Amino acid sequence: HVSAKETVRADRGRLGQVLSALIDNAVRYASDGGLVEIDCCADASTLELIVRDRGKSASVEDVSRFFERFWRSEQSRSRYAGGTGLGLSAVQAICKAHGGEAKAAARTGGGLEIRI
């Protein structure tokens, strides 16, 4: 939890874009009625945001490709039904521009965890 004394220096609009993309992605892939969890951890020099869902399990190969431009885990999805495939690549680019990174991992029991 971040106290009132701590300050994050960042582009508010871009971080809003990151949050929006992560939440949209988690909601889209969370199983029906599934829970989306959002946690935040901070220390003196680092802020970490974690978004978790309990959707369909992802393969190791899929997880390694999540941040590639135009890549979609469901290749059958059209741009109309599933976006452009740019959301998570933009998340990674914005994180890198702020001196950080985004990491994805499959969760035990199904679902995905993304840490920025």
Side-chain angles (χ1 to χ4, degrees):
H1 134 348
V2 178
S3 74
K5 294 180 184 179
E6 297 176 28
T7 302
V8 175
R9 295 191 188 280
D11 181 321
R12 182 169 72 175
R14 293 293 180 212
L15 288 186
Q17 184 180 351
V18 165
L19 241 137
S20 180
L22 292 178
I23 293 169
D24 180 59
N25 190 69
V27 168
R28 179 176 288 142
Y29 290 103
S31 58
D32 291 342
L35 182 66
V36 174
E37 302 169 27
I38 302 171
D39 290 313
C40 183
C41 304
D43 62 28
S45 63
T46 305
L47 175 68
E48 183 175 50
L49 181 73
I50 306 126
V51 178
R52 299 178 184 99
D53 68 58
R54 281 291 182 196
K56 185 176 89 172
S57 293
S59 71
V60 172
E61 179 184 338
D62 282 355
V63 170
S64 71
R65 298 189 69 197
F66 278 155
F67 301 105
E68 289 180 21
R69 291 177 67 204
F70 305 115
W71 185 82
R72 294 187 193 105
S73 63
E74 294 178 27
Q75 298 301 316
S76 64
R77 285 180 27 205
S78 70
R79 287 176 64 173
Y80 299 107
T84 62
L86 290 172
L88 292 181
S89 67
V91 164
Q92 185 69 276
I94 292 166
C95 288
K96 285 183 178 184
H98 283 84
E101 65 180 329
K103 295 180 182 180
R107 296 180 70 189
T108 302
L112 181 69
E113 173 180 281
I114 298 181
R115 292 176 174 262
I116 61 165

